[in-house]
Amino acid sequence: MFCYQCEETARYEGGAGCNSTVGMCGKDEQTSDLQDLLIYAVKGVAQYAQKARELGVADNEAGRFMMRAMFTTLTNVNFVPARINALIKEAKETKDRLKDACEKAAGSAVELEGPASWRIPAETSELLAQAEMAAIRAGEAEVGEDIIGLRSLLLYGMKGICAYGFHALVLDKEADEVFAGIEDVLAYLASDPTDVNELTAKALEGGKVNYKIMELLDAGARDKFGIPEPTQVRMSPKAGKAILISGHDMVDLKAILEQTEGTGINVYTHGEMLPSHAYPELKKFEHLAGNYGGAWQDQQQDFADFPGPILMTSNCLIEPQASYRQRIFTTGPVGWPGLRHIEGHNFSMLVQAAKALPGFAQDAEEKTAMVGFGRESILGVADTVIDAVKGGAIKHFFLVGGCDGHLPGRSYYTDFVEQAPKDTVVLTLGCGKYRFNHLDLGDIGGVPRLLDVGQCNDSYSAIQVAIALADAFDCDINELPLTLNISWFEQKAAAVLLTLLALNVKGIRLGPTLPAFLTPAVVNTLVEAFDIKTITTPEADLADALGAAAE
Ligand code: SF4
Ligand code: SF4
């Protein structure tokens, strides 16, 4: 195995990458190699899907499959070789179907090269024997590490883009242009591209596809659950039976709330599910009792302490510990060997488990956090905000968001927000917020200084706020008193980064470390084109942001 797709990849002198029998996340060699082979198979599907679209027989079912398959390979999503194997088989069937459709439409044989021509073996041993061909660094000796780094940026971005696309599908949102865009970029990657400018341009095209997906996601969440509103969430448990739901999928949350109504069981959110408390169609359930625990990397402690069953709906799952292995369930793309997996939204097993488990014996001391500052609530007070900026009461906005993670150095984000001057406003999204959402930053003229825009899935909302402010001040986003300080961990963050670059947002600070797949030359390209910076110290980065604003 070789994998360096996430921030927690093994780092050693002279290099980085998980390349032993188990990755830092617990992904074993077989799963990792099968995931690489699945990606290779998906590239072949994309080639035929693109061809089919060209021939007038677009097949969006293939696009839905690609999103699901790619999502399964994200960090901390699926560790079950049999499920990856099943997806490889599905890739073969999908490709055969597309090839047939192409040939019918063309009236002759349609043979494509590269991954499209791969005869996918049925036997796992035969598959694994070909893993080298599908490895992320295959061909490095010929094309060099910079090209491999750029291809990796594009592929990992595409993984995140497909994950967001899958989230949109769950919310019944899709678009032809999105499927066509995904086919186009993956088919391009299948051609083993070597042109730096072309690779960079494709990465930005991928970012544009993601922007459309984020828009769909935003519309899907609002159609299903209403417009998020500022809401105070209880962050400590109440006495009673309890279910915990983690990940990002609010459709699963709603199904659990419906299936537990009237049972006396309290439902708690964990990690990235926290923002769901702001949606009218979810918060109307009185037994949506609060949020429990912190970000994903705290789950082994949080889940061990939780006295009820747990459902993991999407990334980010860590190896379940013996103390809660019997009461954690997975659904959607998620999987861990031996865990019970639920398909089809029938959560009766969780309800039964909740009734059998003790729940919380007593109320804990009440703590709260505010969520629900989607673009509607922020732009609802746009006049106040604009006046505050014009009058000097608000000097600067910081978007401090993205993923949290295990690695040391992330206390930087707590310190950064804590030290942000009192005449500045902090927008946040993603689970990075757990580093500072307990802080009381007060308000400026009634506008809270800490505004939680939502999940990382809600990046669209944050971008809309920036666009609206730029319109109001008749300037470019890059001229706003706004600094983006983004923490990354996995491939959804790579997708959002590509979107921000596609929107020509400059001067983003990225941390806590730069991706291992970006070589110094690729970093230089990004620095030159987009002024990307790494984090240093809160003091220096704040001074830089505010100094730059004052110029
Ligand atoms: S996902 Fe991250 S931690 Fe897991 S194997 Fe890949 S680089 Fe290593
Ligand atoms: S923001 Fe990133 S790290 Fe956090 S739960 Fe979502 S995907 Fe995982």
Side-chain angles (χ1 to χ4, degrees):
M1 74 179 277
F2 180 84
C3 180
Y4 58 176
Q5 67 178 358
C6 84
E7 203 253 337
E8 299 197 349
T9 194
R11 289 175 197 261
Y12 39 85
E13 214 180 305
C18 294
N19 60 358
S20 68
T21 51
V22 184
M24 300 297 282
C25 60
K27 182 167 73 171
D28 67 22
E29 198 166 14
Q30 187 186 28
T31 310
S32 181
D33 287 352
L34 286 171
Q35 288 187 353
D36 287 348
L37 288 157
L38 173 59
I39 295 294
Y40 193 79
V42 167
K43 285 182 195 165
V45 171
Q47 287 177 275
Y48 270 111
Q50 186 193 43
K51 187 76 192 168
R53 196 172 292 275
E54 247 175 61
L55 291 166
V57 282
D59 181 340
N60 287 347
E61 193 50 45
R64 292 180 201 107
F65 164 73
M66 287 191 276
M67 286 176 176
R68 184 158 45 86
M70 294 280 281
F71 193 0
T72 308
T73 70
L74 253 70
T75 300
N76 288 351
V77 173
N78 199 308
F79 299 80
V80 185
R83 298 229 344 243
I84 313 297
N85 246 328
L87 285 164
I88 294 176
K89 188 165 173 275
E90 213 177 319
K92 181 180 181 308
E93 289 159 5
T94 308
K95 193 173 72 173
D96 290 348
R97 184 182 78 230
L98 288 163
K99 186 170 188 293
D100 278 355
C102 286
E103 292 181 346
K104 273 199 193 98
S108 59
V110 178
E111 298 296 340
L112 302 176
E113 290 182 356
S117 66
W118 182 36
R119 295 198 185 287
I120 303 175
E123 286 300 317
T124 309
S125 55
E126 266 183 75
L127 268 172
L128 289 170
Q130 301 185 28
E132 216 168 296
M133 155 194 91
I136 185 78
R137 293 196 303 184
E140 189 175 71
E142 293 87 59
V143 300
E145 58 174 7
D146 296 333
I147 294 298
I148 296 291
L150 268 172
R151 285 185 196 163
S152 303
L153 173 64
L154 185 50
L155 176 67
Y156 296 152
M158 284 311 290
K159 286 190 178 194
I161 289 166
C162 286
Y164 285 131
F166 180 86
H167 284 304
L169 286 182
V170 169
L171 296 166
D172 299 327
K173 293 286 175 190
E174 59 180 45
D176 283 350
E177 65 182 284
V178 163
F179 292 125
I182 286 173
E183 286 159 13
D184 182 54
V185 179
L186 288 175
Y188 171 74
L189 273 172
S191 71
D192 289 339
T194 53
D195 185 297
V196 172
N197 293 332
E198 211 180 74
L199 270 159
T200 312
K202 271 287 177 214
L204 301 186
E205 269 177 41
K208 282 188 195 137
V209 173
N210 193 47
Y211 186 56
K212 177 68 195 170
I213 289 177
M214 304 305 289
E215 186 188 350
L216 292 172
L217 248 178
D218 180 87
R222 277 150 183 75
D223 283 0
K224 284 221 183 301
F225 310 118
I227 296 189
E229 39 197 54
T231 304
Q232 202 155 49
V233 183
R234 189 181 163 105
M235 301 295 281
S236 45
K238 289 179 185 169
K241 302 282 187 188
I243 289 177
L244 187 62
I245 174 163
S246 189
H248 303 69
D249 195 326
M250 296 190 292
V251 174
D252 290 322
L253 173 61
K254 181 146 192 246
I256 286 190
L257 287 167
E258 283 163 354
Q259 291 170 36
T260 47
E261 209 167 11
T263 61
I265 298 167
N266 286 324
V267 176
Y268 294 86
T269 56
H270 179 264
E272 273 284 77
M273 280 287 184
L274 167 61
S276 39
H277 291 264
Y279 288 88
E281 287 304 309
L282 297 170
K283 66 191 257 190
K284 71 179 186 191
F285 292 93
E286 281 179 14
H287 62 300
L288 178 59
N291 185 77
Y292 182 85
W296 69 274
Q297 76 278 1
D298 298 332
Q299 73 188 243
Q300 286 175 325
Q301 188 63 52
D302 293 342
F303 293 177
D305 293 344
F306 191 79
I310 302 143
L311 180 71
M312 198 75 199
T313 66
S314 66
N315 47 337
C316 303
L317 173 70
I318 311 180
E319 178 174 8
Q321 300 298 289
S323 58
Y324 59 87
R325 213 172 254 258
Q326 293 308 315
R327 55 187 170 84
I328 178 168
F329 300 78
T330 58
T331 191
V334 194
W336 188 278
L339 292 195
R340 281 170 291 179
H341 185 73
I342 297 170
E343 292 283 8
H345 293 127
N346 179 354
F347 296 113
S348 53
M349 272 197 286
L350 261 98
V351 176
Q352 278 167 23
K355 285 180 179 163
L357 288 160
F360 290 101
Q362 59 200 36
D363 289 357
E365 184 196 342
E366 193 169 333
K367 291 186 202 138
T368 57
M370 282 297 284
V371 297
F373 294 97
R375 65 180 191 287
E376 298 86 350
S377 45
I378 299 179
L379 297 177
V381 291
D383 289 348
T384 315
V385 172
I386 290 162
D387 287 349
V389 175
K390 286 187 174 154
I394 296 179
K395 289 266 167 36
H396 204 79
F397 297 90
F398 294 103
L399 175 64
V400 188
C403 303
D404 205 350
H406 284 111
L407 294 190
R410 283 182 181 260
S411 54
Y412 162 93
Y413 296 100
T414 318
D415 298 341
F416 185 93
V417 169
E418 217 160 15
Q419 290 174 30
K422 294 206 173 339
D423 53 7
T424 62
V425 170
V426 177
L427 300 165
T428 189
L429 46 75
C431 71
K433 66 165 126 313
Y434 281 97
R435 294 275 163 181
F436 46 79
N437 68 349
H438 56 280
L439 299 176
D440 180 6
L441 299 189
D443 66 288
I444 299 176
V447 177
R449 282 192 56 226
L450 179 61
L451 299 167
D452 181 358
V453 180
Q455 297 183 338
C456 67
N457 292 19
D458 295 309
S459 308
Y460 182 79
S461 240
I463 292 169
Q464 294 316 302
V465 171
I467 291 175
L469 284 176
D471 279 353
F473 291 106
D474 197 18
C475 68
D476 189 64
I477 288 184
N478 294 314
E479 291 163 337
L480 283 173
L482 166 70
T483 303
L484 281 77
N485 196 341
I486 309 286
S487 54
W488 86 285
F489 158 63
E490 48 79 273
Q491 301 80 52
K492 281 181 171 175
V496 174
L497 178 68
L498 294 185
T499 299
L500 292 171
L501 299 186
L503 294 170
N504 199 28
V505 176
K506 300 225 163 94
I508 298 170
R509 228 175 245 288
L510 201 59
T513 52
L514 281 176
F517 50 86
L518 296 183
T519 60
V522 175
V523 172
N524 270 347
T525 312
L526 295 177
V527 169
E528 272 168 28
F530 299 104
D531 191 23
I532 287 198
K533 303 166 181 177
T534 47
I535 60 170
T536 63
T537 63
E539 296 77 9
D541 293 350
L542 279 164
D544 180 57
L546 297 169
E551 278 163 19

